[in-house]
Amino acid sequence: MLKETYDLNDIVEMKKEHPCHKSKLWQITRMGADIKIRCQGCGAVIMFPRHEFEKKMKKVVQRASSEE
Ligand SMILES: [Zn+2]
């Protein structure tokens, strides 16, 4: 029931890895009605509507805001 929170520049793990197979990790590069994430393996950027992103995200791996 715990809702995962996420923010700009956070590193997240998606349920499916990118077809490049280099990484399951993505960085959030845009927050809005649509969420844009960049593959940490190959640099490809994809965009999801927010509700779809939340369905496909597994967990937040690293929070940009709590790093310092
Ligand atoms: Zn990739």
Side-chain angles (χ1 to χ4, degrees):
M1 289 298 281
L2 188 71
K3 191 156 167 92
E4 188 77 71
T5 60
Y6 52 91
D7 212 340
L8 192 64
N9 295 323
D10 283 358
I11 305 293
V12 299
E13 185 179 331
M14 304 302 279
K15 285 173 185 161
K16 273 194 193 168
E17 74 175 11
H18 193 237
C20 75
H21 295 302
K22 287 180 183 165
S23 179
K24 275 191 206 169
L25 302 182
W26 301 75
Q27 182 168 36
I28 299 175
T29 61
R30 181 188 143 156
M31 292 278 288
D34 294 322
I35 309 289
K36 221 184 235 185
I37 55 175
R38 183 168 54 222
C39 175
Q40 295 300 281
C42 71
V45 172
I46 54 175
M47 194 158 80
F48 296 111
R50 185 179 283 258
H51 66 273
E52 204 177 316
F53 171 79
E54 289 181 359
K55 266 194 288 185
K56 291 181 175 175
M57 183 180 74
K58 196 165 161 192
K59 62 181 178 182
V60 176
V61 174
Q62 188 179 42
R63 289 178 201 283
S65 50
S66 60
E67 237 181 303
E68 37 200 293

